[in-house]
Amino acid sequence: MNQHEILGLAKLGDARAIAFLINQALHSKQIRARAAYQADCLHVLLESTQVPNTRIAPLIYEGLRSLNPPSIQSIQVHGRPSGQKLPTWTQTWILPAPIPSSPHPSLPSSAASAS
């Protein structure tokens, strides 16, 4: 699967594709991400030998917001050291409602009636 296909799946809200993209971005920081759904919330777990820095979580939120996945209404990012069961920290965000994409922009009603 190429990068374009993975990005397309992530835009649809595919948890594995989103985790793959996060792992690519965090590879140099030696942080591993896993993602899973629970209802309409995407849970992203960040694991590393040390507790992952909480400053990473807002970057994940911004990335998801730019993807605009229709099936995700909220996101929880959890951080923990590898081998622990419970997260050391959790941050939660509500995503804005997805912006529908229209293949053909419609004219404003005033412009349509002027024709």
Side-chain angles (χ1 to χ4, degrees):
M1 195 176 295
N2 66 36
Q3 190 74 15
H4 183 71
E5 292 170 323
I6 292 169
L7 184 59
L9 288 171
K11 286 182 178 183
L12 293 173
D14 184 273
R16 289 188 312 193
I18 291 168
F20 180 85
L21 293 174
I22 293 169
N23 280 318
Q24 278 189 321
L26 297 178
H27 179 72
S28 66
K29 298 192 181 306
Q30 299 181 353
I31 297 173
R32 185 173 188 287
R34 288 189 269 169
Y37 281 105
Q38 186 175 13
D40 56 4
C41 179
L42 180 70
H43 292 266
V44 177
L45 175 63
L46 304 176
E47 292 182 300
S48 184
T49 55
Q50 303 292 318
V51 177
N53 193 316
T54 59
R55 290 183 286 166
I56 294 170
L59 301 174
I60 293 171
Y61 164 73
E62 288 299 328
L64 266 176
R65 215 177 88 182
S66 69
L67 288 172
N68 195 29
S71 58
I72 302 173
Q73 293 183 7
S74 62
I75 177 175
Q76 282 194 340
V77 181
H78 313 275
R80 72 179 185 198
S82 302
Q84 285 195 0
K85 296 254 184 216
L86 298 174
T88 304
W89 56 263
T90 297
Q91 293 183 15
T92 304
W93 290 273
I94 304 298
L95 291 170
I99 300 168
S101 59
S102 173
H104 305 288
S106 59
L107 294 172
S109 58
S110 60
S113 62
S115 314

